[in-house]
Amino acid sequence: MSKGTVVLAYSGGLDTSCILVWLKEQGYDVITYLANIGQDEDFEAAQKKAESLGAKKVFIEDLRSQFVEDFIWPAVQANAVYEDRYLLGTAVARPCIARRQVEIARREGAQFVSHGATGKGNDQIRFELTCYALYPEVKIIAPWRIPEFYNRFRGRTDLMEYAQKHGIPVPVTPRAPWSMDANLMHISYESGILENPKSHAPADLYLMTKNPEDSPNEPDVLEIEFKNGVPVKVINVKEGKSKDSALDIFSYLNEIGGKHGVGRIDIVENRFIGMKSR
C-alpha cells in the first residue's frame, strides 16, 4: 500500500538519486522533476537514470525564459543586492524551481514534495516557503532533516555504498574540491578548499568570467532599449548584432560581461541558521 505520491526536485546527482530510492523504500510513489534554468546538464541522461531507478514519472521543465522574466528582471528592478555585492543568483532561482514543482504536485494529485537541500543551508527555507505559499496543505519531506536518513548517510562514503548496493550509477569523475551551483544568471562556489578565507579561488574555478587580466582592452559598445523599465532589445553597436527576447538579451549580456571579466565577487554570507559561509 503506497503512502502517497511525492514530487522530488531531482538533479540526477548522487544525493537526489539516493533520495529517490530511499523514498521508494519508505513506501512512496516518486515523481521526479528536473528544472532547466540554464545549468550545464545532460537532461536526457538524468531522465533515463530516474526512470531506471523507478520514478513513476519524470518531468523535465525548461524554465529559462520564466526565470529571466518573472525572477531576474524583478530582482534587478528591486535592486535586490545582498550586502552590497551579491545579486542573489542562487537564491532567486529557488522560488522559480519550487513554483513549478508545486504546479506538478497539484496537477498530479501529489500530497508530498521533497528536496535534497541540507539541513544547515538556506535552500531548504527558499524551497519550503515557496511551496507552502503556493500549496499550503502540502507536506514536505526533507530527508537531510530526518534522523533515520542523516544517521544512515553520514557522508559521501555512505551514499556511495548505498548507491552501489541499489544499482544507482555513481559518479566516475573525481569530486571537485568545492561545490558549485550554476544557472543562467550565475555560478556560485563554496565549501572544500574555499572554506579557508586565506585561500584564493584557483584560476580554473571560474567558468563564466574571464580573468580581467586576460580580457580584451577594446570595449564592446552596447545599446539597450527599455520599455516600462524592462530591457526589450540589446544591440552591439560595433558588430550590428541584436537580441530581443528576454532570455536572449540576458544571456548575451552575461556573455559580454564575462568576456570582459565583469561579475566576480568573493563574499562570506550569513546563513539562516547562523553559520557563516564563504
Side-chain angles (χ1 to χ4, degrees):
M1 181 72 180
S2 168
K3 285 184 182 174
T5 301
V6 187
V7 178
L8 169 66
Y10 183 69
S11 71
L14 181 63
D15 284 37
T16 52
S17 294
C18 287
I19 288 170
L20 194 175
V21 175
W22 183 81
L23 285 168
K24 284 182 62 208
E25 271 185 352
Q26 304 306 301
Y28 296 98
D29 290 326
V30 183
I31 293 171
T32 54
Y33 150 65
L34 183 58
N36 175 0
I37 48 170
Q39 72 275 36
D40 183 16
E41 186 81 61
D42 187 339
F43 295 101
E44 201 177 310
Q47 176 167 357
K48 284 178 181 164
K49 188 174 185 180
E51 286 167 349
S52 72
L53 297 176
K56 190 173 141 191
K57 283 187 183 175
V58 180
F59 288 90
I60 294 176
E61 305 284 308
D62 186 347
L63 305 181
R64 290 173 300 169
S65 294
Q66 283 183 29
F67 182 34
V68 177
E69 292 166 30
D70 298 348
F71 294 87
I72 298 175
W73 284 168
V76 173
Q77 286 177 307
N79 199 28
V81 184
Y82 175 79
E83 294 193 351
D84 299 324
R85 276 181 295 164
Y86 171 40
L87 299 177
L88 299 169
T90 292
V92 168
R94 299 319 189 205
C96 177
I97 296 167
R99 181 173 75 173
R100 180 55 61 91
Q101 185 176 11
V102 161
E103 284 169 10
I104 292 169
R106 282 189 176 280
R107 200 168 65 226
E108 296 294 318
Q111 308 88 336
F112 303 90
V113 293
S114 182
H115 60 74
T118 76
K120 57 188 179 184
N122 290 340
D123 277 341
Q124 57 181 346
I125 316 291
R126 296 165 182 152
F127 277 122
E128 294 177 23
L129 288 181
T130 306
C131 290
Y132 285 135
L134 300 175
Y135 186 2
E137 61 276 25
V138 77
K139 296 182 180 71
I140 292 170
I141 301 171
W144 288 115
R145 293 204 307 268
I146 298 171
E148 298 85 39
F149 187 89
Y150 66 69
N151 286 325
R152 184 172 179 182
F153 302 107
R154 290 178 172 271
R156 192 171 167 86
T157 311
D158 292 340
L159 289 166
M160 294 284 269
E161 280 174 11
Y162 181 81
Q164 281 157 349
K165 186 178 161 191
H166 290 85
I168 301 168
V170 294
V172 286
T173 48
R175 196 181 184 193
W178 50 76
S179 77
M180 181 176 105
D181 179 76
N183 60 47
L184 62 86
M185 186 175 181
H186 87 158
I187 304 179
S188 60
Y189 308 87
E190 64 173 17
S191 77
I193 59 172
L194 303 174
E195 289 288 347
N196 182 351
K198 199 175 179 182
S199 305
H200 289 274
D204 64 343
L205 171 141
Y206 296 100
L207 300 177
M208 281 179 99
T209 54
K210 261 192 171 176
N211 186 328
E213 290 173 0
D214 304 324
S215 63
N217 289 322
E218 293 296 310
D220 277 284
V221 180
L222 304 176
E223 283 183 2
I224 303 174
E225 190 181 313
F226 287 83
K227 189 174 180 183
N228 300 327
V230 173
V232 291
K233 190 172 193 175
V234 61
I235 300 165
N236 185 319
V237 176
K238 277 189 193 168
E239 296 177 8
K241 257 187 196 175
S242 71
K243 306 282 179 187
D244 54 15
S245 77
L247 178 57
D248 288 346
I249 291 169
F250 188 83
S251 302
Y252 183 64
L253 292 174
N254 246 357
E255 183 190 313
I256 296 293
K259 171 182 157 187
H260 290 277
V262 175
R264 294 185 175 188
I265 65 163
D266 189 345
I267 189 169
V268 175
E269 67 176 10
N270 297 290
R271 287 189 173 174
F272 181 81
I273 63 162
M275 293 167 66
K276 299 279 185 187
S277 175
R278 183 188 186 194

